[in-house]
Amino acid sequence: MKRKQKRFLQMTLLFTAALIFLPDIGLWSLYKEKHLVKPAEPQTLPLGLGGGQLFTWSDGLKRKDWHDYESIQKDAMRSGKGEHGKPYPLTEEDHDDSAYRENGFNIFVSNNIALERSLPDIRHPNCKHKVYLEKLPNTSIIIPFHNEGWTSLLRTIHSIINRTPDSLIAEIILVDDFSDRDQIALNHKTIVCPMIDVIDHNHFGYEAQAGDAMRGAFDWEMYYKRIPIPPELQRADPSDPFESPVMAGGLFAVNRKWFWELGGYDPGLEIWGGEQYEISFKVWMCGGGMFDVPCSRVGHIYRKYVPYKVPSGTSLARNLKRVAETWMDEFAEYIYQRRPEYRHLSTGDISAQKELRKHLKCKDFKWFMAAVAWDVPKYYPPVEPPPAAWGEIRNVAANLCVDSKHGAMGTELRLDICVKDGSERTWSHEQLFTFGWREDIRPGEPLHTRKFCFDAISHSSPVTLYDCHGMKGNQHWSYRKDKTLFHPVSSSCIDCNPAEKKIFMNRCDPLSETQQWIFEHINMTVLEKFNSKASS
């Protein structure tokens, strides 16, 4: 009896497997027929790049693989300095400041890297298997430039031509924006933006930004920020597009008709700055949507400094106020609380922008914050929570104060005579700091801190300024009852050498007065909350 039962069970399993998997008759075949990619006739068509195979989706629309495998193979075979996005090998002479003077990046390196440079494929692996609509609208690619380095501009054009199907390029338009050198588908209201990769301004190495796919955001001084994609918006496939409240800048694709329905860019914005907020806010508030596309990549040279002159030092501030007054409603007040100098700036005439908003029946900014940018306040709250401590930070042993000297990223903190003790009140001193709700320490007063944080990388390293990321880690500090500034990541404390005026990390010794620091002002309620959270 058991042998018969076993034989029956085996036959049943074989029949079930055949029903599911046999070609042409199984359930798998039916599923493919209805839902997955059914090759159109003929199966392989000499269309587009790489003889792209056509597929019919369950929605009846034809899609195809747009990869140009022949070009990809040719790129893989390239060799030379800077190829495959690798840093260009530099000598001491190559670091000369003259190489940066006109462009803000190393033009010597740019001139010595091939115009048709090969790049690494740093997309999510799933991007390699995606297919897109067979029939896509073509695109006008507009590249504004101002006194641009010639080889970097040419390399951009070569990259567009080599990496874009001919049928998708209507035209490439170069707009010389007052250079003074002799240098020659499915929802039309959707704007899409690429991932912006980093091309090093020095050696031209090519890599993804830290964190790669993140949502575009802003703080309440209108600095552009990037924040993690919340679980609610994460897709099963991390290479799929995701909603983003704010774009990084002028890298986006948009339906031409929709762009002009939105009024294009506000013509009252001057030179540079604020335009990414203006276009982002009105796209969302006026009935559209904006998505970042992880499978789309554009490399960008982040300059060492801005090499061109801005006619007025207030153009950026004026632009930001103009955007705030047009689109941000009562939320503009949060900006003015942090930037009181903006209150007295003139926006120019914004009546046409206000009328456009009314004509398009755009939603208010409160809706935008609730429906689109709802996760921004978690990282950048409109009302700044009270800090735990602020003011000067005085060392008990040395009776000297921490001074960051208005330094930039990488600046080592030093001790100096406290301004309140008679040190000259010059611009060279920076002795006011805020130990804020993110449990990091930043130069500046509570409502107006700089965007650098105290940072330490080990139990013996100097304490330096580094771009604030708000993610704790190397920038997480604890101010304890014994007056030590404790660094949880390295399990060490801030110490100093009064004679040399150096500040550094060291093994914690609560009895050492060189490790004891006194903040000028302390909010004990907030501080105790921090410390109780750390102890738990």
Side-chain angles (χ1 to χ4, degrees), residues 286-307:
C286 305
M290 192 162 63
F291 291 80
D292 285 355
V293 183
C295 289
S296 177
R297 323 287 305 197
V298 173
H300 176 60
I301 303 173
Y302 288 88
R303 302 177 195 267
K304 187 176 182 179
Y305 50 77
V306 177

Side-chain angles (χ1 to χ4, degrees), residues 387-392 435 479-481 483 517-528 531:
W390 67 98
E392 69 174 25
F435 180 36
Y479 186 50
R480 304 194 293 193
K481 290 182 179 180
K483 299 185 180 67
W517 306 88
I518 300 174
F519 272 95
E520 186 177 358
H521 305 286
I522 295 176
N523 183 326
M524 287 305 301
T525 303
V526 176
L527 188 60
E528 287 174 0
N531 290 337

Side-chain angles (χ1 to χ4, degrees), residues 167-201:
S167 61
L168 299 186
I169 301 178
E171 56 194 345
I172 299 175
I173 301 173
L174 302 181
V175 181
D176 187 338
D177 190 8
F178 267 86
S179 294
D180 51 23
R181 300 181 198 159
D182 295 327
Q183 186 180 7
I184 311 289
L186 292 176
N187 181 350
H188 79 280
K189 292 187 176 182
T190 297
I191 280 184
V192 293
C193 305
M195 299 290 98
I196 302 178
D197 299 323
V198 179
I199 302 174
D200 188 273
H201 63 254

Side-chain angles (χ1 to χ4, degrees), residues 121 123-130 132 193-195 237-241 292-297:
D121 189 348
R123 300 174 300 166
H124 191 280
N126 291 0
C127 296
K128 299 175 183 178
H129 310 296
K130 289 188 179 294
Y132 298 94
C193 305
M195 299 290 98
D237 182 348
S239 68
D240 281 349
D292 285 355
V293 183
C295 289
S296 177
R297 323 287 305 197

